[in-house]
Amino acid sequence: MISYRSPVEKEGRRAFLPTFRAAAFMLGVCVAAIASAESYPAKLITFVTPFSPGAGPDVFVRAIATEVGHAAGVPAIVENKPGASSMLAAQSVMRAAPDGYTVLITGNVAFTGNPHVVKKMLYDPVADFTPVTTLSKGPMYLYVNPKTLPAWNATELVSLLRKDPGKYSFAYTSITSQLPAEVLQQSAQVKLLGVRYRSGAAAIPDLISGQIDMMFTDYTPWAYVKSNKLRAIGVTDLQRSPYTPGLPTFKEAGIKGMDIGFWLGAYLPANAPAPVVARLHQLLAAAVKAPEAQAASQTMGMFEFVMPIGELAKYQAKESADWGRVIRGAGIQPE
């Protein structure tokens, strides 16, 4: 007996085959992706950072990379991409495959500061990345030249600044170091002259020589406080730093809104698989506890700060909103 298929049935079968093959292909891709995620990591991991080689944060990132590589049994390298206020490094990772083998470790300026002060962003800080976790955080310290700005505490400092509005200058290298000075001006109702520098290494000598009167930066210049070349006025945190327990917070002096510091976080490109994010989070959480990473953190006055999976996105959003309010209040325009 000869079977018969109508032309319509034959056409339907031919139309169905490409659809079926496409679906089968996509299913295969998904299965392969899941299998790859479950075996992660299985090859070289590249940690991309915006910090210059040898800088404090770079030393920390290299310690993290070494620990992750050892724990995972795979090679791990650090690729430095400084420049453009951390945007070059971020853009590089944004364009990479979201497979967990290209990891961005950057400071908060890339995600909480740049969106408010950079007119032409090279990336979307939310849509283009998968947040993994914060790694460490630290407060900013206010250092003054004791000869040009002879204040011993925040109260004396505010008194001097109010007597001569606009007379005293502060150095800054990015919005991270500029923001505390803006908060100080808004909260204490004082006026300062801001002078931008390319790096802290360039600004500190001018601060010591008296060409600049004050600067908010990290713990690194503390050695100059010990030698009496600089004087520390306060710390921008809600609690005193264990590294400098005798130094009061600005909150203690009645200056509000000075809970502004810096943190380092890890990001993958957008749409990274959940198993990869979970495994990388596990590796990074263990890496920050390594002695080399702890030593690098202490050099910068930073502390271990690892968030549960999913929390970095919320924290980033809040920080960005807080920074945005201060930046708008200061009248800082995107450039």
Side-chain angles (χ1 to χ4, degrees):
M1 181 176 180
I2 300 174
S3 62
Y4 172 77
R5 291 189 177 92
S6 68
V8 174
E9 184 182 355
K10 290 179 181 179
E11 286 299 318
R13 183 172 181 275
R14 282 196 290 267
F16 172 75
L17 283 174
T19 304
F20 175 78
R21 288 168 181 160
F25 173 77
M26 290 305 298
L27 178 61
V29 170
C30 291
V31 171
I34 293 172
S36 176
E38 290 179 346
S39 64
Y40 172 86
K43 61 180 183 179
L44 173 73
I45 301 176
T46 299
F47 290 90
V48 181
T49 180
F51 308 117
S52 299
D58 172 68
V59 175
F60 175 79
V61 174
R62 290 181 184 277
I64 293 294
T66 298
E67 289 301 318
V68 169
H70 286 165
V74 297
I77 62 172
V78 174
E79 186 175 320
N80 300 89
K81 286 187 174 293
S85 190
S86 301
M87 289 196 293
L88 296 182
Q91 184 183 45
S92 173
V93 174
M94 174 193 74
R95 293 172 173 172
D99 53 11
Y101 292 101
T102 305
V103 184
L104 174 67
I105 296 186
T106 184
N108 48 333
V109 65
F111 293 94
T112 61
N114 285 349
H116 304 289
V117 297
V118 176
K119 186 176 293 186
K120 294 183 179 180
M121 288 283 289
L122 301 180
Y123 55 87
D124 186 309
V126 176
D128 290 335
F129 297 91
T130 301
V132 180
T133 182
T134 46
L135 300 171
S136 62
K137 68 178 295 187
M140 305 289 278
Y141 294 76
L142 175 57
Y143 300 94
V144 303
N145 183 298
K147 295 180 180 179
T148 65
L149 194 48
W152 286 92
N153 53 53
T155 302
E156 292 183 7
L157 173 72
V158 170
S159 178
L160 287 172
L161 298 181
R162 285 177 177 169
K163 286 180 181 179
D164 294 294
K167 172 184 176 181
Y168 298 101
S169 58
F170 72 93
Y172 68 96
T173 59
S174 69
I175 191 62
T176 306
S177 55
Q178 181 182 5
L179 208 62
E182 298 297 346
V183 172
L184 176 63
Q185 293 182 85
Q186 293 177 30
S187 181
Q189 298 182 337
V190 296
K191 182 66 176 178
L192 296 167
L193 174 65
V195 181
R196 183 161 191 169
Y197 282 77
R198 293 180 61 86
S199 66
I204 294 300
D206 282 359
L207 179 60
I208 293 173
S209 67
Q211 296 184 54
I212 296 293
D213 301 303
M214 55 188 285
M215 181 179 183
F216 284 93
T217 187
D218 61 22
Y219 177 72
T220 306
W222 191 261
Y224 295 112
V225 175
K226 293 181 178 179
S227 63
N228 297 317
K229 293 180 179 180
L230 295 178
R231 182 174 296 153
I233 297 297
V235 60
T236 63
D237 204 345
L238 299 180
Q239 298 179 343
R240 296 191 182 195
S241 169
Y243 303 122
T244 57
L247 184 65
T249 68
F250 283 96
K251 181 182 178 182
E252 292 178 66
I255 299 176
K256 300 179 180 179
M258 289 292 277
D259 183 20
I260 297 175
F262 57 98
W263 45 267
L264 302 177
Y267 293 79
L268 291 173
N271 302 314
V276 168
V277 175
R279 177 58 175 151
L280 180 60
H281 183 283
Q282 181 185 43
L283 290 167
L284 290 172
V288 298
K289 298 181 182 297
E292 291 78 5
Q294 293 282 325
S297 288
Q298 185 173 351
T299 300
M300 298 179 288
M302 301 184 76
F303 322 97
E304 180 183 329
F305 183 50
V306 176
M307 286 187 158
I309 294 177
E311 291 300 309
L312 174 51
K314 301 174 187 177
Y315 184 65
Q316 175 183 317
K318 180 184 181 302
E319 286 268 291
S320 182
D322 291 344
W323 284 39
R325 281 191 292 270
V326 175
I327 290 168
R328 289 190 297 272
I332 299 174
Q333 299 298 317
E335 297 179 357

